[in-house]
Coordinates of all heavy atoms in Angstrom, one line a residue:
L296 N -7.4 6.9 7.0 CA -6.8 7.1 8.3 C -7.3 8.3 9.0 O -7.7 8.1 10.2 CB -5.2 7.3 8.1 CG -4.6 6.1 7.4 CD1 -3.1 6.5 7.1 CD2 -4.6 4.9 8.3
G318 N -14.8 5.8 7.5 CA -13.7 6.5 8.0 C -12.6 5.4 8.4 O -12.5 4.4 7.7
T350 N -3.7 -0.9 -5.2 CA -4.3 -1.2 -6.5 C -5.3 -2.3 -6.4 O -5.3 -3.2 -5.7 CB -3.2 -1.4 -7.6 OG1 -2.6 -2.7 -7.3 CG2 -2.1 -0.4 -7.7
Q361 N -7.4 -15.9 1.2 CA -8.4 -16.2 2.3 C -7.7 -16.2 3.7 O -7.9 -17.0 4.5 CB -9.0 -17.7 2.1 CG -9.8 -17.9 0.8 CD -11.0 -17.1 0.9 OE1 -11.7 -17.1 1.8 NE2 -11.3 -16.4 -0.2
P363 N -6.5 -13.4 7.2 CA -7.1 -12.5 8.0 C -7.8 -11.4 7.4 O -8.8 -10.8 7.9 CB -6.0 -12.1 9.0 CG -4.9 -13.2 8.9 CD -4.9 -13.6 7.5
L375 N -21.1 -2.7 7.7 CA -21.5 -1.6 6.8 C -23.1 -1.8 6.4 O -23.7 -0.8 6.2 CB -20.6 -1.6 5.6 CG -20.9 -0.5 4.6 CD1 -20.5 0.8 5.2 CD2 -20.1 -0.6 3.2
C395 N -29.0 14.9 11.7 CA -27.9 15.9 11.6 C -26.9 15.6 12.8 O -25.6 15.5 12.6 CB -28.3 17.3 11.5 SG -26.9 18.5 11.2
L400 N -21.7 13.5 14.8 CA -21.1 12.7 15.7 C -20.2 11.6 15.1 O -19.1 11.3 15.4 CB -22.0 12.0 16.7 CG -22.8 12.9 17.6 CD1 -23.9 12.1 18.3 CD2 -21.8 13.3 18.7
A407 N -11.4 12.3 14.4 CA -10.8 12.4 15.9 C -10.4 13.9 16.1 O -9.3 14.2 16.6 CB -9.5 11.6 15.9
E409 N -12.4 17.9 17.1 CA -13.8 18.7 17.3 C -14.1 19.5 16.1 O -15.2 20.0 15.9 CB -13.7 19.5 18.5 CG -13.6 18.8 19.8 CD -12.3 18.2 20.1 OE1 -11.3 18.6 19.4 OE2 -12.1 17.3 21.0
F411 N -13.8 20.2 11.8 CA -13.6 19.7 10.5 C -14.3 20.4 9.4 O -15.4 21.0 9.8 CB -14.1 18.2 10.4 CG -15.5 17.9 11.0 CD1 -16.6 17.9 10.3 CD2 -15.6 17.6 12.4 CE1 -17.8 17.8 10.8 CE2 -16.8 17.3 12.9 CZ -17.9 17.4 12.1
M421 N -25.5 14.9 2.3 CA -25.5 13.8 3.3 C -26.8 13.5 3.9 O -27.0 12.4 4.2 CB -24.5 14.2 4.3 CG -23.0 14.5 3.9 SD -22.3 13.4 2.9 CE -22.3 14.1 1.3
R425 N -32.8 19.8 1.2 CA -32.3 21.2 0.5 C -31.4 21.9 1.4 O -31.6 21.8 2.7 CB -33.6 21.9 0.0 CG -34.4 21.1 -1.1 CD -35.4 22.0 -1.7 NE -36.3 21.3 -2.7 CZ -35.9 21.1 -4.0 NH1 -34.8 21.6 -4.2 NH2 -36.7 20.4 -4.7
L441 N -24.4 24.0 20.7 CA -23.8 22.6 20.6 C -22.7 22.6 19.6 O -21.7 21.8 19.7 CB -24.8 21.6 20.2 CG -26.1 21.5 21.1 CD1 -27.0 20.4 20.5 CD2 -25.7 21.4 22.5
G447 N -18.0 27.2 6.3 CA -17.7 25.8 6.0 C -16.9 25.1 6.8 O -16.4 24.0 6.5
G477 N -14.3 -4.6 17.0 CA -13.6 -4.1 18.2 C -13.6 -2.5 18.2 O -14.0 -2.0 17.2
P479 N -12.7 1.3 18.0 CA -11.9 1.9 17.0 C -10.5 2.4 17.7 O -10.5 2.8 18.8 CB -12.6 3.1 16.5 CG -13.5 3.4 17.6 CD -13.9 2.1 18.2

Side-chain angles (χ1 to χ4, degrees):
L296 299 172
T350 64
Q361 298 294 315
L375 185 63
C395 185
L400 290 167
E409 292 80 13
F411 46 90
M421 303 307 105
R425 298 188 182 277
L441 306 188

